[in-house]
Amino acid sequence: KFKRMLNKELSHFSESKSGNQISEYICNTFLDKQQEVDINNLRLAEEEYGQGPGKAKVGGGKGAAPLSQISGVKKPLGHTNSFSGSSLPKYGVDPKAQHEAELAKILENSEKWGVDMFKIAEITDKKTLTCITYTIFQERDLIKTFKIPGKVFLNFLRTLEDHYLQDVPYHNSVHAADVTQSTHVLLNSPALECVFTPLEVMSAIFAA
């Protein structure tokens, strides 16, 4: 699939020297060799953590860490900002009345480059990631396609965003929203048309 995408994307470079160089570099670097996994190193790592052959911990064993604890998380995971309304908001957030039209105007261009994430953060009380991701899932009809309960999805997004560290200047929830929206735009490009299944599209957006 990636090869097809690459051929489409570089087709307008086909007669130029730079296009051939780009294509040759990408193919030689990433496509001609299979990604290799050092099995021996993986086994050594597993044995160091007591998970080698015959030592795997299925769960419930002494010293096993609870699934709700993630290394590096400074506060306990929980639904600290759960949605409790009777009807789901159109964009996953409830902006103040004076900002509703402005938010709608910004999100009209969610399939284009240059969406102002900082403005969305300002008018949604720093719920940029929730707003952008929910809107993308609605536009792509992924919620209906995969029968995702709206409230569950919204609570997941809010909980996820709430556990981003707001004082981090770059890798924060606004950056995550920007990457998510950029992925959405890229997936809409002609080069990727009919390349990915809905599940793969959803996976890419989640990964972003």
Side-chain angles (χ1 to χ4, degrees):
K1 290 181 179 179
F2 180 77
K3 287 182 180 179
R4 282 189 293 166
M5 180 205 73
L6 184 64
N7 289 335
K8 286 182 180 180
E9 196 66 34
L10 295 178
S11 60
H12 59 288
F13 287 136
S14 58
E15 297 182 2
S16 70
K17 184 177 180 181
S18 60
N20 291 335
Q21 289 175 338
I22 293 170
S23 180
E24 184 178 353
Y25 172 79
I26 293 175
C27 290
N28 289 340
T29 305
F30 302 106
L31 299 182
D32 287 348
K33 297 179 181 179
Q34 291 184 344
Q35 293 181 354
E36 297 179 356
V37 178
D38 191 338
I39 301 300
N40 291 328
N41 286 344
L42 285 176
R43 286 174 179 168
L44 287 173
E46 288 177 353
E47 289 173 3
E48 286 179 4
Y49 288 94
Q51 293 182 346
K55 298 179 182 178
K57 296 180 180 179
V58 177
K62 186 177 180 181
L67 293 177
S68 61
Q69 293 182 5
I70 300 175
S71 175
V73 176
K74 295 184 177 180
K75 54 184 177 179
L77 297 176
H79 295 288
T80 57
N81 194 18
S82 296
F83 176 76
S84 58
S86 57
S87 60
L88 296 173
K90 184 176 182 180
Y91 301 113
V93 294
D94 290 307
K96 293 181 180 179
Q98 64 266 32
H99 295 309
E100 288 181 359
E102 185 178 11
L103 180 61
K105 187 68 176 177
I106 294 172
L107 293 176
E108 282 179 2
N109 298 311
S110 63
E111 296 183 355
K112 300 178 182 178
W113 297 110
V115 173
D116 191 342
M117 296 297 165
F118 296 104
K119 191 62 180 179
I120 295 176
E122 179 185 331
I123 64 181
T124 63
D125 192 25
K126 298 181 179 179
K127 294 184 177 65
T128 323
L129 182 59
T130 299
C131 177
I132 285 293
T133 309
Y134 189 82
T135 299
I136 290 172
F137 267 66
Q138 291 277 44
E139 288 179 356
R140 290 184 171 277
D141 213 24
L142 294 172
I143 293 177
K144 290 183 179 179
T145 299
F146 294 101
K147 298 180 173 62
I148 304 172
K151 282 190 176 182
V152 173
F153 183 53
L154 197 51
N155 284 335
F156 168 78
L157 292 177
R158 291 189 173 194
T159 301
L160 176 67
E161 184 157 28
D162 187 53
H163 284 82
Y164 269 89
L165 301 179
Q166 296 297 329
D167 56 346
V168 175
Y170 185 70
H171 283 121
N172 49 42
S173 62
V174 177
H175 173 263
D178 189 39
V179 175
T180 302
Q181 192 264 336
S182 297
T183 302
H184 174 55
V185 175
L186 286 171
L187 289 170
N188 282 333
S189 66
L192 295 177
E193 186 179 2
C194 301
V195 172
F196 301 113
T197 65
L199 179 59
E200 289 170 329
V201 169
M202 183 177 70
S203 300
I205 294 171
F206 263 123

